[in-house]
Amino acid sequence: MPVAAGTVLELHRWPVKSLAGEPVDRLRVDGRGVGGDRTHAVIHVHKGQPRRLTAREAPRLLAWRASYAGADVRPDEPPAPVLTAPDGRSFGWDDEALPAALAADLGREVTLRRDVAGQQDLRDSVLITVQATLDALEAEMGQPVDLRRFRTNVHVELDAEPFAEEGWEGRRVRIGDAELEVLH
């Protein structure tokens, strides 16, 4: 028996972890998650170890945009994204000037990493958000909440109560041709 039925409202992918991403008309999904989602990351050295730089540590990352220019991205072969700086300059991922431009803007040395398996906080996942829950959160906070804050891949409207998805752990969700297990 279905848990809920509904409509997909928005689809997004985030080519570079912690940078602004792009809305898309369709997504390809496999066991790794959404094709091209967070397959690239900006790396910095923290306590002597290289690690992914996030917007929590460098909020300025959110002023940069990453895009595959609407390409139909296969999960096993994501192309190199194009990054757009806050000042409008564009850089291909393989552009030798990109690390220096990021470093100058972020105020720290960085390197770049590509991993077709994805570099999500929770590996092999697709992030789904629900409109009723977003509406309830906005009502609770007394102000609008920008959906981009959640870095969602699939935003849906369902015939379910707000926060109903909290009880769906272990269940399966079908979105288009993809069947996904709800992890949490």
Side-chain angles (χ1 to χ4, degrees):
M1 167 195 305
V3 174
T7 304
V8 172
L9 299 175
E10 297 180 39
L11 299 171
H12 298 266
R13 71 177 160 224
W14 313 90
V16 180
K17 184 166 178 58
S18 288
L19 271 63
E22 61 184 346
V24 293
D25 294 329
R26 68 186 218 178
L27 297 170
R28 287 188 186 232
V29 177
D30 74 0
R32 291 168 281 220
V34 170
D37 192 51
R38 298 171 184 90
T39 54
H40 298 79
V42 177
I43 305 297
H44 74 124
V45 175
H46 178 75
K47 297 183 179 179
Q49 297 295 316
R51 76 174 198 188
R52 296 175 304 208
L53 184 61
T54 69
R56 286 182 294 278
E57 300 159 308
R60 184 86 177 143
L61 283 170
L62 295 172
W64 286 75
R65 288 181 290 124
S67 174
Y68 295 120
D72 182 17
V73 176
R74 291 181 33 189
D76 60 336
E77 288 186 31
V82 172
L83 277 62
T84 304
D87 65 8
R89 292 178 297 151
S90 290
F91 300 88
W93 184 254
D94 298 324
D95 187 329
E96 292 178 7
L98 178 57
L102 282 162
D105 190 55
L106 301 173
R108 64 178 78 202
E109 292 301 312
V110 298
T111 58
L112 306 176
R113 179 184 299 157
R114 173 184 159 91
D115 182 349
V116 297
Q119 300 175 76
Q120 302 92 335
D121 292 332
L122 181 59
R123 304 270 300 164
D124 306 330
S125 63
V126 175
L127 181 57
I128 302 169
T129 53
V130 178
Q131 185 62 44
T133 300
L134 181 64
D135 292 342
L137 181 61
E138 289 179 339
E140 200 171 298
M141 294 181 67
Q143 62 186 19
V145 176
D146 189 338
L147 180 62
R148 293 175 299 179
R149 163 67 183 91
F150 300 105
R151 319 291 282 174
T152 189
N153 297 120
V154 182
H155 184 63
V156 297
E157 184 165 42
L158 299 175
D159 60 358
E161 295 295 317
F163 303 103
E165 65 273 22
E166 290 182 358
W168 296 347
E169 187 172 327
R171 294 194 178 178
R172 300 195 82 60
V173 175
R174 178 166 294 285
I175 301 173
D177 294 334
E179 185 173 312
L180 309 169
E181 180 182 354
V182 178
L183 299 176
H184 66 86

